[in-house]
Amino acid sequence: MSLRLRLNDNENVPGTTSWRGGVSLKIAIVGYGTGGQAAALALSRDGHSVEVFEQAEALRPVGAGFLLQPTGLAVLWELGLLDKALAQGRRIHRLHGENASGRRVMDMRYERLDARLFGLGMQRASLFEILRDAWGDHAGVHTGTRIVAIEDEGRWLRDASDARHGPFDLVVAADGAASRLRAAVGTPRLDQPYPWGALWCLLPEGAWPWPGELRQRYRQARQMAGFLPVGGRPGDPTPRLSFFWSLPVAELERWDAQGVPAWRAGVSRLWPECAPWLEGVTEAGQLARAVYRDATPAAWSRGRVALLGDAAHAMSPQLGQGVNMALMDALALRDALRAHCDLPQALADYGQGRRRHVAVYQFWSRWLTPLFQSDHDAVAAVRDLSFLPLGQLPGGRGQMLRVLTGTQRGWFGRLALAPGFLRAIAG
């Protein structure tokens, strides 16, 4: 099955029910992150009976801000949610990175690929609430339920209290980068943590001088600070910035031993202009810790089990594609079930199509991350000298921008965006 995001305008109106497979499935979704949310919404609209199992005691978002790329926005458009997202988020037109001396290292502008394109900085809570409210069927959600095993080839789930749930026709494992269920489709080809993590928080945007840009500053690859405008959220229209600070995982648990004022002074030495925005950070508890994994499963499905989101393709956040890929997974799974009444064939096509798209992003994420998060000063020096010139060459620039926007498919292919979506964002 080829991955499609409504390549023509003669297909269904965004947000409408259009299940054509003729069979309503009983589907369990494990995990209520972005991928699980989008899958619950899309599959239930197609007439399937959906139950969600979430280990948290209450449905809530986890994380600060992220950058929705045109591919992720196209999914929201198809779900009829684009206008709500645009009303909450902040349009991003440029990604700019510089070293400690202020020399440009990265300068990527969406308009150089297509004048209609942009990213959308969003608070995770904002997208969470948009997807949650669009589904609305929370009677099918089991909170405080940690699923630990899939039994009988996907017919039954077993939770941490040894209770069984089912039977189901299909189990969608969307339980994140540290998935407990990834092995249900076979021993992963790769599953390891990244040695670097991050601290993050949300700050009031105020008079931030770059409201339409993701800004980063680096000291070699050992230190990285970034600010992403992410707009407001339902019930709190205050525009905010998502701030992140790169740190080795080994130091995450003891970083505050130096004291927050000393840490804040260190960030300000790297980036003096950001000091006023960090003045409100006075306690370690205001900064959350994040760690990441690199995982490639043996397959995307087996029997009645399918992987989705970070459970299928955990990677470094360096390319910022996690949320976008999870949204695309949900629509691809829906489309595969529409195209085939035979479940094994539907899941095989789903995995084949998504793997073809995701693989190049996993590759670049794996190889680019040491340029920005590592102890290799020589590598960082090469980055500072070569990254910007490469991005200004016609061939290199196009490749980089397609990877940024999520529209690179394989090494040489391109993912077309729907004309109706392009008209919507141009308007």
Side-chain angles (χ1 to χ4, degrees):
M1 183 188 80
S2 62
L3 182 67
R4 58 193 179 92
L5 290 176
R6 291 290 180 250
L7 300 186
N8 64 72
D9 290 333
N10 296 319
E11 300 192 49
N12 302 315
V13 176
T16 60
T17 301
S18 55
W19 165 239
R20 297 190 293 271
V23 178
S24 177
L25 302 177
K26 186 175 181 182
I27 300 175
I29 298 176
V30 182
Y32 198 63
T34 300
Q37 285 188 289
L41 173 61
L43 295 175
S44 63
R45 281 182 175 176
D46 269 12
H48 300 295
S49 175
V50 175
E51 291 186 52
V52 172
F53 297 85
E54 169 55 49
Q55 66 178 351
E57 295 296 330
L59 298 181
R60 63 179 185 271
V62 178
F66 55 85
L67 185 58
L68 272 179
Q69 299 296 351
T71 48
L73 291 171
V75 173
L76 296 183
W77 171 78
E78 185 160 344
L79 294 174
L81 303 176
L82 177 62
D83 288 345
K84 292 183 178 180
L86 293 177
Q88 297 295 331
R90 175 74 79 180
R91 296 187 185 215
I92 303 298
H93 299 281
R94 182 190 188 195
L95 278 66
H96 181 275
E98 59 192 21
N99 63 17
S101 65
R103 176 177 176 173
R104 279 190 306 161
V105 174
M106 174 178 65
D107 191 350
M108 303 176 70
R109 305 176 191 231
Y110 289 87
E111 64 183 15
R112 291 173 178 168
L113 184 65
D114 188 317
R116 297 166 292 184
L117 298 183
F118 55 86
L120 189 73
M122 289 193 76
Q123 296 184 43
R124 194 167 293 270
S126 183
L127 181 59
F128 179 91
E129 293 180 30
I130 290 171
L131 290 170
R132 180 198 61 192
D133 294 346
W135 184 35
D137 187 16
H138 301 141
V141 178
H142 305 267
T143 56
T145 307
R146 183 165 63 94
I147 301 300
V148 297
I150 300 174
E151 300 176 343
D152 194 17
E153 296 184 346
R155 296 291 280 177
W156 294 87
L157 300 176
R158 180 164 54 82
D159 66 27
S161 66
D162 214 31
R164 299 182 85 212
H165 307 268
F168 297 103
D169 299 307
L170 170 63
V171 171
V172 179
D175 55 337
S179 171
R180 299 183 187 89
L181 306 181
R182 186 181 289 124
V185 301
T187 302
R189 295 174 183 169
L190 178 67
D191 188 357
Q192 63 186 21
Y194 273 104
W196 287 69
L199 302 169
W200 60 263
C201 67
L202 291 172
L203 304 168
E205 182 180 301
W208 182 248
W210 303 288
E213 302 181 14
L214 166 61
R215 303 284 296 199
Q216 297 177 342
R217 182 169 283 201
Y218 327 105
R219 177 172 284 117
Q220 287 85 43
R222 297 172 184 267
Q223 292 183 333
M224 176 171 65
F227 286 86
L228 171 67
V230 292
R233 57 169 291 183
D236 180 11
T238 303
R240 298 191 183 274
L241 301 168
S242 182
F243 165 76
F244 60 90
W245 175 256
S246 179
L247 205 65
V249 171
E251 297 180 18
L252 276 177
E253 294 303 322
R254 61 176 186 269
W255 74 271
D256 55 335
Q258 62 182 307
V260 172
W263 167 80
R264 197 172 59 228
V267 179
S268 298
R269 282 193 296 273
L270 172 63
W271 199 346
E273 295 90 341
C274 77
W277 279 266
L278 295 174
E279 288 178 356
V281 181
T282 58
E283 300 178 1
Q286 294 175 258
L287 290 158
R289 298 160 174 81
V291 294
Y292 309 102
R293 298 189 74 83
D294 188 5
T296 303
W300 279 56
S301 67
R302 173 184 285 183
R304 300 174 184 272
V305 180
L307 303 181
L308 188 145
D310 283 348
H313 45 67
M315 64 183 86
S316 159
Q318 198 61 53
L319 294 179
Q321 290 291 347
V323 169
N324 300 281
M325 294 297 176
L327 289 168
M328 296 177 74
D329 293 347
L331 242 58
L333 179 59
R334 181 204 67 179
D335 289 347
L337 293 175
R338 285 181 175 182
H340 301 280
C341 291
D342 179 66
L343 182 63
Q345 184 61 56
L347 296 185
D349 282 6
Y350 159 69
Q352 181 181 14
R354 290 304 295 133
R355 187 166 51 246
R356 188 179 301 127
H357 181 237
V358 167
V360 70
Y361 296 89
Q362 289 185 297
F363 173 87
W364 282 120
S365 175
R366 192 170 300 132
W367 289 101
L368 285 175
T369 295
L371 298 180
F372 297 91
Q373 292 178 299
S374 73
D375 296 323
H376 306 306
D377 294 345
V379 170
V382 172
R383 173 204 67 195
D384 290 356
L385 292 173
S386 63
F387 201 86
L388 185 64
L390 287 173
Q392 293 176 334
L393 294 174
R397 182 175 68 192
Q399 179 88 358
M400 286 184 178
L401 289 171
R402 285 192 298 274
V403 171
L404 166 68
T405 58
T407 56
Q408 183 73 24
R409 191 162 188 257
W411 288 105
F412 305 106
R414 303 183 184 187
L415 180 66
L417 298 168
F421 164 69
L422 292 173
R423 286 195 298 270
I425 61 173

